Amino acid sequence: MAAEIADQPRAWRALLAERSSVAEVGAAVAARRPRFVQFVARGTSGHAALYAKYLVEIRLGLPCGLASPSTVTVYDGVPSGTDVLCIGVSQSGGSPDLVATLDAARRAGALTVAVTNDPTSPLAAAAEFQVDVHAGPERSVAATKTYTAEMLALYLLVAAWEGTDSAAADVLPDLGDRVLGDSAPGELAQRYRFAQRLIATGRGYSYATAREAALKLMETSYVTAQGFSAADLMHGPLATIDAQVPVLAVLPAGRGGEVMAPVLRSLAERGADVVGVGDPERLTGLAGGVALPEGASEELSPLLEIVPLQRLALQLALDRGEDPDTPRGLRKVTETL
Amino acid sequence: MAAEIADQPRAWRALLAERSSVAEVGAAVAARRPRFVQFVARGTSGHAALYAKYLVEIRLGLPCGLASPSTVTVYDGVPSGTDVLCIGVSQSGGSPDLVATLDAARRAGALTVAVTNDPTSPLAAAAEFQVDVHAGPERSVAATKTYTAEMLALYLLVAAWEGTDSAAADVLPDLGDRVLGDSAPGELAQRYRFAQRLIATGRGYSYATAREAALKLMETSYVTAQGFSAADLMHGPLATIDAQVPVLAVLPAGRGGEVMAPVLRSLAERGADVVGVGDPERLTGLAGGVALPEGASEELSPLLEIVPLQRLALQLALDRGEDPDTPRGLRKVTETL
């Protein structure tokens, strides 16, 4: 897991070097003019899809949803595929429910794209178009580099579909190297050494960061970690927060960070211990913070935000005597039906 | 909260008596032939929307998503409304982000329906069509009767749109009375008296039950409760489960309960303490169970499943010396932007 976290800037460079192949798929998708987008994904890849849902809605102006695989696999439902683009996202491309859902969409007339780390996988075979995220082999059960590679691939796909250039992404590998040099995650792991519960929160593009950070902490350190959109947090879960439940707030530069201000005020009223990850200017007054380097657009910020949180999950697992590469009860390829 | 939980069968009878007004909206929607459906909702109403997403996908065969309000309110995104039906679901109809999202959808050409407990609310005013869930005033911060009334209203709406009768729902009030007479929730509250964490899980139509049960426990008893689709649970969160984390499994008769079998096996391997709610035949071998009466179709089972779990949340809060009607940090109408 440590090696795969550290491999992310290299993996991003590899994918950026192959951007023309992603752009070809983006152009082919644009030519077919889909009008509704459905993502098919679970777990970490589901969080990459959640990130991309905002890109599709905001940049392409298309309504977008996350498919419920059990509609197909449990209830034999067949949603119409007319004018639909169905994008499967999966590291392994191997989970039978995702393959079945993408396959059903294709048979129902949907345009289908598989975004995977294995272009020979069943999911890639089921789709009309394939995007290889070029992350290289990932062996740790807790996915890290494939998460950010999937997000980058989806960003490149949307940019090509929209017909804009994706040069904004070129800053990412160097910024990633800088993020990897920060010692803050190790200090945070000390702080959370005995925490049993944790809440991560963010909004918009950074909502996915909160969800994925919570999943990493659950998988590797067995913390009961919850990831909430900052707005959903206010609709109930806020009541669980007191000074005993640590909160990780994702605070990027830009509007997704700006709208966190009232949420931070509510958390302060509840006496919460809030650590921020993001724009250095937003971290003042909090219990702690991980400052991210400037230079990435808000849309691309989630690729950097997750890196210190992956490192936190790794270090916390090691400090607790767990093996983050082989979490109890999990396998690398989860086969749900 | 106790009175509102107990009021559910009466509220369902009231709504069933008004089904023709819901059917009129359903017929009007059918005449417009929307091809994609987006729900706009948060919190408890978001769980009613999650339930209805399965109805739309399975019974109507239409792709369906849950809108991300920040697309509109934070990033000024305007997803296309052509051929889209946008359904806002909210007890109060008052949260500004939901109103803004529905309003943006309508201006973008979407057909809009508001499902609320207040036909004079801003959300109802923003929509072309209104469905009143007829639950009567709900004062407790933790929503209970409006949750099941929203699900019933959405069920009736989908049935009318599909052109099928909704007679299957007529059994619900009497079954609800029977569920309310069961003493199992009080015993469960004893069992969980000192639990700080809990996981609720279900699949398909019953996924919403797991999510809503977790929210009720968070809101009233401040338990760190997580609700997972049983498939998502296998993609990571399973690692957090050991004998110290209680699990509530929703096990309806029908296929959504059937596909829980492998999940229950994985939970047993992890030594989990699993209590089931649902079909009496599925409860054998578990640490405990709440048997639901037979007679409801699987699609309608979620309206009954949640009732003992609402009662559990209420009783646990009382046992812990909390006031379930006014949870700390929350207000009845949550205004997120």
Side-chain angles (χ1 to χ4, degrees), chain A residues 188 191-192 198-202 230 233 238 241-251 260-278 282-290:
Chain A
L188 264 189
R191 187 178 177 82
Y192 296 147
L198 185 144
I199 284 177
T201 186
L233 180 65
L238 182 68
I241 295 179
D242 58 26
Q244 306 312 313
V245 184
V247 178
L248 281 173
V250 192
L251 305 171
M260 292 295 287
V263 178
L264 293 177
R265 280 197 295 278
S266 291
L267 289 168
E269 281 168 20
R270 304 227 27 77
D273 181 282
V274 181
V275 167
V277 177
R282 298 202 199 282
L283 305 179
T284 49
L286 301 180
V290 181

Side-chain angles (χ1 to χ4, degrees), chain B residues 40-130:
Chain B
V40 178
R42 286 197 186 280
T44 292
S45 300
H47 300 152
L50 180 61
Y51 160 76
K53 179 176 190 285
Y54 289 88
L55 290 175
V56 168
E57 291 179 350
I58 296 165
R59 293 191 46 173
L60 298 167
L62 294 179
C64 179
L66 307 176
S68 303
S70 64
T71 287
V72 172
T73 61
V74 178
Y75 300 105
D76 301 323
V78 185
S80 161
T82 309
D83 293 328
V84 173
L85 166 64
C86 182
I87 305 178
V89 188
S90 169
Q91 186 280 129
S92 68
S95 188
D97 56 347
L98 305 185
V99 176
T101 301
L102 195 89
D103 189 54
R106 187 172 182 180
R107 283 184 285 113
L111 175 61
T112 50
V113 174
V115 176
T116 77
N117 199 31
D118 180 358
T120 69
S121 64
L123 192 72
E128 188 173 345
F129 293 98
Q130 292 75 32

Side-chain angles (χ1 to χ4, degrees), chain A residues 310-327:
Chain A
Q310 294 167 338
R311 293 175 65 209
L312 167 64
L314 165 70
Q315 191 58 49
L316 196 55
L318 293 173
D319 290 352
R320 292 178 175 198
E322 307 293 351
D323 178 355
D325 287 335
T326 55

Side-chain angles (χ1 to χ4, degrees), chain B:
Chain B
M1 185 176 175
E4 287 162 4
I5 290 172
D7 193 37
Q8 289 177 102
R10 185 212 58 77
W12 303 343
R13 285 189 186 97
L15 178 53
L16 289 168
E18 296 287 339
R19 75 212 306 165
S20 62
S21 63
V22 185
E24 276 172 34
V25 177
V29 165
R32 300 271 282 271
R33 299 181 171 274
R35 293 171 47 210
F36 317 116
V37 181
Q38 286 278 63
F39 284 101
V40 178
R42 286 197 186 280
T44 292
S45 300
H47 300 152
L50 180 61
Y51 160 76
K53 179 176 190 285
Y54 289 88
L55 290 175
V56 168
E57 291 179 350
I58 296 165
R59 293 191 46 173
L60 298 167
L62 294 179
C64 179
L66 307 176
S68 303
S70 64
T71 287
V72 172
T73 61
V74 178
Y75 300 105
D76 301 323
V78 185
S80 161
T82 309
D83 293 328
V84 173
L85 166 64
C86 182
I87 305 178
V89 188
S90 169
Q91 186 280 129
S92 68
S95 188
D97 56 347
L98 305 185
V99 176
T101 301
L102 195 89
D103 189 54
R106 187 172 182 180
R107 283 184 285 113
L111 175 61
T112 50
V113 174
V115 176
T116 77
N117 199 31
D118 180 358
T120 69
S121 64
L123 192 72
E128 188 173 345
F129 293 98
Q130 292 75 32
V131 171
D132 182 348
V133 306
H134 287 285
E138 184 179 68
R139 294 195 181 87
S140 176
V141 169
T144 52
K145 66 176 177 174
T146 55
Y147 174 59
T148 53
E150 285 168 357
M151 288 198 289
L152 182 54
L154 290 163
Y155 176 87
L156 296 174
L157 183 71
V158 167
W161 178 359
E162 193 188 21
T164 54
D165 82 61
S166 55
D170 293 329
V171 299
L172 286 171
D174 287 353
L175 293 174
D177 284 330
R178 283 173 58 193
V179 172
L180 285 165
D182 186 1
S183 62
E187 291 153 29
L188 264 190
Q190 290 291 316
R191 185 177 178 83
Y192 296 147
R193 176 68 177 81
F194 300 105
Q196 284 196 307
R197 302 181 285 170
L198 185 143
I199 284 177
T201 188
R203 208 164 167 198
Y205 291 113
S206 296
Y207 172 30
T209 304
R211 292 278 298 273
E212 175 63 6
L215 182 58
K216 283 312 100 166
L217 287 163
M218 285 193 277
E219 285 176 323
T220 61
S221 312
Y222 315 145
V223 179
T224 296
Q226 300 177 288
F228 293 111
S229 118
D232 289 331
L233 180 65
M234 309 306 281
H235 285 255
L238 182 69
T240 64
I241 295 180
D242 57 26
Q244 305 312 312
V245 184
V247 178
L248 281 173
V250 191
L251 305 170
R255 301 188 64 180
E258 229 167 80
V259 293
M260 293 294 287
V263 179
L264 293 177
R265 280 196 295 276
S266 291
L267 289 168
E269 280 168 20
R270 304 227 27 76
D273 181 281
V274 181
V275 167
V277 176
D279 181 1
E281 293 186 12
R282 298 201 198 282
L283 305 179
T284 48
L286 301 179
V290 180
L292 295 177
E294 286 174 43
S297 67
E298 183 182 352
E299 290 169 351
L300 288 165
S301 173
L303 280 84
L304 301 175
E305 292 158 5
I306 195 63
V307 174
L309 299 170
Q310 294 167 338
R311 293 175 66 210
L312 166 64
L314 165 70
Q315 191 58 47
L316 195 56
L318 293 173
D319 290 351
R320 291 177 176 200
E322 307 293 351
D323 178 355
D325 287 335
T326 56
R328 63 188 192 191
L330 303 182
R331 276 172 288 200
K332 183 60 181 167
V333 180
T334 310
E335 299 201 345
T336 42
L337 298 172

